[in-house]
Amino acid sequence: MILKQLKVNNGMINDTTNCYIVQDEETKETIAIDPGGEANKIIEMLEILNAKLKYIYLTHCHGDHIGALKELKEQKGGKILIHRFDAEGLYDKAISLTDYIGIEEIHLEADSRVDDGDTIHIGKIEFKVIHTPGHTKRW
């Protein structure tokens, strides 16, 4: 397994978001987690790893975690995954706070919505979804 942590500028002054890239070394299948900004930096790392981007996983829908989503999806593909309760924030700026951060609205739909206990596979690596609500969803 290859694990890379990239600190990406998320659009807010002097603030970064951790974007993680996890790859199965054998199959080169890769997941990018929270592409918060600097798509070029993320794409460069994917190219260095000769990655086959299978998934783009969003831990939640706030703008500082989705800022590079559109460009990453357009250039490298990969299915967008997000928990079902956070999915509406991808097209609702009142939830994503993209206006507050000063980034363009994303206007993308998730390819799949995940639930607590779901498993995600990249190559031989298995991730288990653990739902931790409360940060974004308006109740």
Side-chain angles (χ1 to χ4, degrees):
M1 176 179 79
I2 294 174
L3 170 63
K4 299 288 183 183
Q5 175 188 9
L6 302 175
K7 290 194 177 292
V8 295
N9 186 303
N10 58 36
M12 295 170 50
I13 297 172
N14 297 323
D15 198 14
T16 59
T17 296
N18 290 319
C19 172
Y20 296 94
I21 296 173
V22 182
Q23 181 181 68
D24 178 277
E25 291 177 86
E26 186 177 315
T27 65
K28 302 293 185 192
E29 283 187 352
T30 304
I31 185 171
I33 303 168
D34 289 338
E38 295 186 275
N40 58 331
K41 190 176 194 178
I42 299 167
I43 291 166
E44 179 182 13
M45 181 57 68
L46 292 171
E47 290 173 355
I48 289 168
L49 295 172
N50 195 27
K52 297 175 186 172
L53 188 60
K54 186 174 181 180
Y55 299 118
I56 303 168
Y57 188 89
L58 307 172
T59 59
H60 63 288
C61 63
H62 277 160
D64 62 330
H65 286 250
I66 64 173
L69 178 60
K70 185 175 180 182
E71 190 173 348
L72 181 59
K73 173 79 171 173
E74 288 171 354
Q75 290 195 34
K76 299 305 272 182
K79 292 183 178 183
I80 299 170
L81 307 178
I82 191 168
H83 193 276
R84 78 176 54 260
F85 295 152
D86 253 338
E88 75 178 289
L90 293 178
Y91 50 85
D92 185 342
K93 63 184 178 183
I95 299 172
S96 68
L97 306 176
T98 52
D99 279 352
Y100 175 76
I101 295 170
I103 63 172
E104 185 179 314
E105 277 188 85
I106 304 301
H107 296 292
L108 283 175
E109 185 67 37
D111 293 295
S112 290
R113 290 163 175 79
V114 298
D115 289 303
D116 187 60
D118 285 354
T119 55
I120 299 166
H121 294 91
I122 56 162
K124 294 179 182 175
I125 303 169
E126 180 177 285
F127 295 89
K128 182 177 179 181
V129 175
I130 301 172
H131 181 51
T132 53
H135 185 60
T136 55
K137 181 72 177 160
R138 296 183 299 179
W139 295 101

